Amino acid sequence: KAKLIKEFDRFCKLAYQKKIQVQSPKMVHGTLNSSPVSYVAKPHVLSSGGTIMYGKPGTGKSFTGIALAVAVNAGANHYWETKQQNAMFVNLERPEHSMSPRVGAINRALGLNPDQPLAIMDAKNSTLIGIHDPLVNYISDHGIKFVVIDSLSQAGNGDMKEDTVASATIKILNRMGVSWLAIAHTPKYDESVYYGNSLWEAGADVMLRHDSEKQEDGSIVALLEVTKANDMPIPKPMGLHYSFDEFGLNSIRFANEEELIDLKSKNLTLKDEIIDWISKNGAKSPTDISKDL
């Protein structure tokens, strides 16, 4: 017994010192990248990176999120360049019964078998914190490489405008150890920014604005624009068109330029608008330009 006490005392004496040594800085030699940037879903999700996709409520963000998860899970390359990897969708907002029809519709729209499965974690009555342990366990057991989370408003850490909430939630997302895309909402007073603290942007590798408009026929035109990117070039904005019938979503295609004019003009400065107008209409008087703009 005396020997055990002595050895345990010795262990306690050395443990903290060893911990400090393990956490000490290391010399890192610089290298040049010998391979291009790696993506899970090019051009919006980096390998081992995090993307926050933000936009106003009710205009197609969930469809885009599911489409990304399905595309990666199936290795489909219709709208994003992907390499097949296991993906899953974390549903914190929608009724459980709504997910199967949505997955089926997205599968059909991407030219896949409608019944092709996608891992879904339904947790409408919970929070990201509440499901963290089973989520990480499932990711490990099933080799999941990409996770879409709908949405950050259900993180469960507290007020999204607080520094500590943003920082803690980003750490939870990164501790999953996989590439992730989290859906966020914009405040009512400004559709161009996400709701919450600036640390959300600091913690994400990519900030992806999802701007959209509903058309007269009930379809949705969405403009996906990267507003911040780490370790990758900022890509050109992508336009997607979602059409619906009485059964829900029935097709996805790239939006054409005419359909995107209004969305793109919302993000232009006055100077850009004038230059764009002149390029299409030729030189006119300031009065003519003013009337049209």
Side-chain angles (χ1 to χ4, degrees):
K1 182 177 179 180
K3 183 178 179 181
L4 177 61
I5 292 173
K6 182 179 179 181
E7 290 296 321
F8 187 69
D9 285 344
R10 180 172 177 270
F11 170 81
C12 291
K13 182 179 179 180
L14 297 175
Y16 186 68
Q17 180 180 347
K18 191 66 177 179
K19 178 184 178 182
I20 292 175
Q21 291 175 1
V22 170
Q23 294 179 335
S24 296
K26 299 177 181 178
M27 297 298 295
V28 177
H29 295 276
T31 61
L32 295 176
N33 285 332
S34 58
S35 59
V37 177
S38 177
Y39 295 86
V40 166
K42 188 177 181 180
H44 295 142
V45 184
L46 289 165
S47 296
S48 301
T51 296
I52 293 179
M53 181 173 69
Y54 61 99
K56 57 187 178 182
T59 50
K61 294 190 304 301
S62 293
F63 283 116
T64 302
I66 297 173
L68 273 159
V70 168
V72 172
N73 197 59
N77 287 283
H78 300 78
Y79 309 104
W80 299 275
E81 291 183 31
T82 70
K83 182 179 180 181
Q84 194 281 321
Q85 300 179 77
N86 293 340
M88 70 178 297
F89 187 87
V90 178
N91 172 35
L92 296 170
E93 293 201 342
R94 309 276 177 262
E96 182 176 348
H97 65 80
S98 70
M99 297 310 298
S100 180
R102 287 187 174 220
V103 172
I106 293 291
N107 281 336
R108 179 180 64 175
L110 294 181
L112 306 171
N113 290 329
D115 63 349
Q116 181 161 311
L118 174 71
I120 302 282
M121 177 170 278
D122 285 301
K124 183 183 178 184
N125 296 320
S126 187
T127 62
L128 183 59
I129 291 178
I131 63 167
H132 179 260
D133 289 348
L135 174 60
V136 171
N137 187 65
Y138 188 91
I139 288 171
S140 176
D141 289 349
H142 294 82
I144 301 295
K145 301 298 182 183
F146 176 49
V147 177
V148 177
I149 296 169
D150 188 11
S151 69
L152 281 180
S153 61
Q154 306 301 321
N157 273 332
D159 189 341
M160 293 180 66
K161 292 178 287 186
E162 294 292 331
D163 289 359
T164 53
V165 172
S167 179
T169 305
I170 290 293
K171 287 180 180 179
I172 289 173
L173 293 170
N174 288 334
R175 280 202 299 267
M176 294 189 299
V178 298
S179 302
W180 54 266
L181 180 141
I183 296 173
H185 302 306
T186 56
K188 291 183 179 180
Y189 58 83
D190 191 349
E191 296 174 5
S192 66
V193 299
Y194 55 92
Y195 180 81
N197 189 281
S198 61
L199 289 184
W200 294 109
E201 182 171 349
D205 296 291
V206 178
M207 294 297 294
L208 179 62
R209 181 165 58 209
H210 187 287
D211 202 359
S212 58
E213 283 189 347
K214 291 185 178 180
Q215 308 298 296
E216 292 182 1
D217 61 359
S219 62
I220 294 176
V221 175
L223 181 66
L224 279 64
E225 183 178 13
V226 173
T227 58
K228 175 237 175 171
N230 290 340
D231 301 323
M232 62 174 255
I234 293 183
K236 294 181 179 179
M238 176 192 291
L240 295 176
H241 181 279
Y242 298 98
S243 61
F244 302 83
D245 57 24
E246 63 270 27
F247 301 105
L249 179 71
N250 65 17
S251 68
I252 304 174
R253 62 171 171 81
F254 283 117
N256 58 52
E257 283 300 314
E258 290 75 18
E259 292 169 328
L260 294 171
I261 287 177
D262 290 341
L263 285 173
K264 286 186 175 181
S265 65
K266 287 168 58 178
N267 302 321
L268 294 176
T269 65
L270 179 57
K271 178 181 177 180
D272 290 336
E273 281 198 73
I274 293 172
I275 292 173
D276 184 62
W277 189 94
I278 292 173
S279 70
K280 295 173 182 175
N281 298 279
K284 301 287 183 179
S285 72
T287 302
D288 291 332
I289 299 174
S290 177
K291 285 180 180 178
D292 272 9
L293 296 183

